[in-house]
Amino acid sequence: MTGLFRDAGWGAAVTVVLSVLPFSPVVGGAVASHRRGCRYAAGLAIGLLSGVVAAIPLLVLFVPTLLVVGWLGYGVPPSSPAYDLFLAIVFGLFGLYTVGLSALGGLGGVWARLHTDWDLDPARWL
């Protein structure tokens, strides 16, 4: 079980480090499932876990950014009755982007391990 969390941690670390690039959760999920050496269902699960772990530090950056953007006047003002709905949509999209794309990357990592000779192990890179 500790290997599962280690591999998910590697995927989450790759996601956070590459977070300045678009679609970095796909790469993080692929790294996590490629390290795990599993089949598609387990690759989806390890990618999902990697996305959940990566979402925690990314939320630390996302919430203050959302507050600053609201303070600058973009989006729905906090005094609006639709502000709660706005926050639900924004955080739902954040979760879909981070966790959903990481799970998709988990499938891609399994595919890469089974059908190519690519080595996606980040421990080899460092």
Side-chain angles (χ1 to χ4, degrees):
M1 192 58 119
T2 59
L4 176 75
F5 290 112
R6 182 189 68 234
D7 296 337
W10 273 108
V14 168
T15 299
V16 170
V17 167
L18 296 178
S19 65
V20 296
L21 300 174
F23 304 107
S24 65
V26 175
V27 178
V31 164
S33 67
H34 192 277
R35 278 187 54 88
R36 191 80 186 144
C38 50
R39 293 291 181 188
Y40 286 105
L44 182 73
I46 189 75
L48 188 86
L49 182 61
S50 173
V52 168
V53 172
I56 296 166
L58 290 177
L59 273 174
V60 171
L61 299 172
F62 182 69
V63 171
T65 303
L66 187 63
L67 292 173
V68 169
V69 166
W71 178 71
L72 291 174
Y74 296 102
V76 178
S79 60
S80 172
Y83 187 67
D84 293 336
L85 177 64
F86 171 72
L87 285 180
I89 290 171
V90 166
F91 281 104
L93 289 174
F94 172 79
L96 187 65
Y97 177 80
T98 306
V99 178
L101 286 182
S102 188
L104 184 67
L107 293 175
V110 172
W111 177 87
R113 186 171 187 94
L114 293 176
H115 300 291
T116 67
D117 58 350
W118 299 338
D119 188 9
L120 300 178
D121 189 8
R124 184 183 65 90
W125 304 340
L126 300 175

